[in-house]
Amino acid sequence: MVYDALVAVAVGMCAAMVMIVTLIVMLKNGGLDMQGFAEPADLIQASTGYKLLIQSWVGLWVAGFFLWFWKRGGQTLGMRAWRLRIFSTVEEPVTMTRLITRLVGSLFGLGTLLVLFDVKEKQSLQDRLAKTEVLKLSKEANDHKSW
């Protein structure tokens, strides 16, 4: 979780930078109204709408990071480092709907705490909701050539 959190923070920072620079350029060049503020940064900090736009943009990129990696190979970068992979517990493919359910069910990582109390199956809340499980791979199965 720590490895993925570090990558997610980096993705979020890059996404925020792109949005903030875009807003500043648009405000400086008259594409957006400065609303009486002298500097774009002052307007962005005072505006709930601009802050919500930036936060939503960052949230979409961070969510996209997890969904893209889970869909492409069942592993994020942190999961690859620890040889973990998502598998379906039912005879259906892991669809984007199930992955979104898994993402929302994780509750920003809190859903994983259920593993500590589920002695029998060791499943997190997100895995229960999405009908998935996280298994540890052998070194051979986690070989980078199979990514």
Side-chain angles (χ1 to χ4, degrees):
M1 284 176 55
V2 173
Y3 285 21
D4 286 334
L6 292 172
V7 177
V9 166
V11 167
M13 289 172 63
C14 290
M17 181 186 65
V18 167
M19 180 57 76
I20 291 169
V21 167
T22 301
L23 287 173
I24 289 172
V25 168
M26 291 179 73
L27 287 164
K28 283 277 190 181
N29 292 324
L32 295 171
D33 183 28
M34 288 285 290
Q35 302 174 13
F37 287 89
E39 292 296 323
D42 297 332
L43 171 59
I44 292 170
Q45 288 178 351
S47 170
T48 303
Y50 283 131
K51 287 192 276 191
L52 184 61
L53 175 69
I54 294 166
Q55 290 169 353
S56 299
W57 176 257
V58 169
L60 286 172
W61 273 92
V62 171
F65 158 75
F66 286 102
L67 294 172
W68 190 80
F69 274 98
W70 288 341
K71 185 67 179 166
R72 298 270 307 177
Q75 297 174 296
T76 58
L77 296 173
M79 292 171 78
R80 285 180 182 170
W82 288 93
R83 298 189 340 232
L84 302 173
R85 185 165 185 255
I86 296 171
F87 290 95
S88 179
T89 57
V90 293
E91 294 296 322
E92 302 169 9
V94 181
T95 62
M96 190 57 75
T97 304
R98 287 174 62 194
L99 291 175
I100 291 170
T101 301
R102 187 176 196 282
L103 183 69
V104 172
S106 72
L107 305 171
F108 300 104
L110 293 177
T112 307
L113 293 176
L114 184 60
V115 171
L116 299 173
F117 304 104
D118 183 10
V119 180
K120 185 179 177 187
E121 299 201 21
K122 297 268 185 202
Q123 270 195 313
S124 63
L125 176 63
Q126 60 266 29
D127 284 328
R128 285 179 180 274
L129 294 174
K131 297 178 184 148
T132 59
E133 63 183 344
V134 176
L135 299 176
K136 186 165 181 142
L137 301 174
S138 66
K139 286 184 180 182
E140 297 76 29
N142 198 48
D143 182 33
H144 74 280
K145 294 174 187 150
S146 65
W147 293 348

